[in-house]
Amino acid sequence: MAVPRDKDVEALRTIVTESPIPVIADIHFNHTLALKSIDAGAHCVRINPGNIGGPDKTAEVVEKAKAAGVPLRIGVNSGSLPGHLRDLEFTDPVAALVTAATEWVELMHRLDFHDFKSR
């Protein structure tokens, strides 16, 4: 479920309690929505580290997810590649995406977080 605004967190809370299947909160651009989604009971949170605000904000989400036992799904796409991969994106877009995903997996490991999905 996409959670693009604060008011969507309340809808998420309701959906989580009434859904017979696990609910994954899909977050873009605002790491505080990821934190609130974990508090709302999301079974998993999908973040795109390339647009969530960088490693420090990603670390905040990881810390909360770890404490709550909530897995994270790491998503990358061409619209949110880090700046240092922009040139590679134009010459080899697949390599750029793989590199971005690999870098974020490495960050997860540095943060001692292993409960994540990469697809």
Side-chain angles (χ1 to χ4, degrees):
M1 173 185 158
V3 184
R5 299 171 304 253
D6 276 323
K7 69 180 185 175
D8 299 317
V9 175
E10 283 310 310
L12 172 67
R13 186 180 312 278
T14 300
I15 291 168
V16 165
T17 59
E18 296 186 21
S19 176
I21 61 171
V23 177
I24 298 172
D26 190 4
I27 309 298
H28 294 270
F29 304 108
N30 187 339
H31 82 291
T32 61
L33 291 173
L35 302 173
K36 291 174 184 179
S37 294
I38 293 168
D39 289 339
H43 299 98
C44 180
V45 174
R46 185 253 189 217
I47 61 171
N48 182 332
N51 70 25
I52 203 72
D56 291 342
K57 291 182 179 178
T58 300
E60 286 182 53
V61 175
V62 164
E63 182 179 331
K64 186 161 204 91
K66 189 188 297 188
V70 172
L72 296 175
R73 179 173 173 258
I74 307 304
V76 297
N77 57 51
S78 62
S80 61
L81 289 171
H84 71 280
L85 295 175
R86 292 285 180 216
D87 289 339
L88 182 58
E89 176 185 9
F90 294 111
T91 59
D92 190 346
V94 173
L97 290 169
V98 170
T99 300
T102 300
E103 287 175 356
W104 292 111
V105 167
E106 290 169 355
L107 173 62
M108 295 294 128
H109 288 167
R110 286 193 308 273
L111 295 170
D112 193 31
F113 189 75
H114 305 279
D115 191 8
F116 64 93
K117 307 161 187 316
S118 58
R119 57 184 170 129

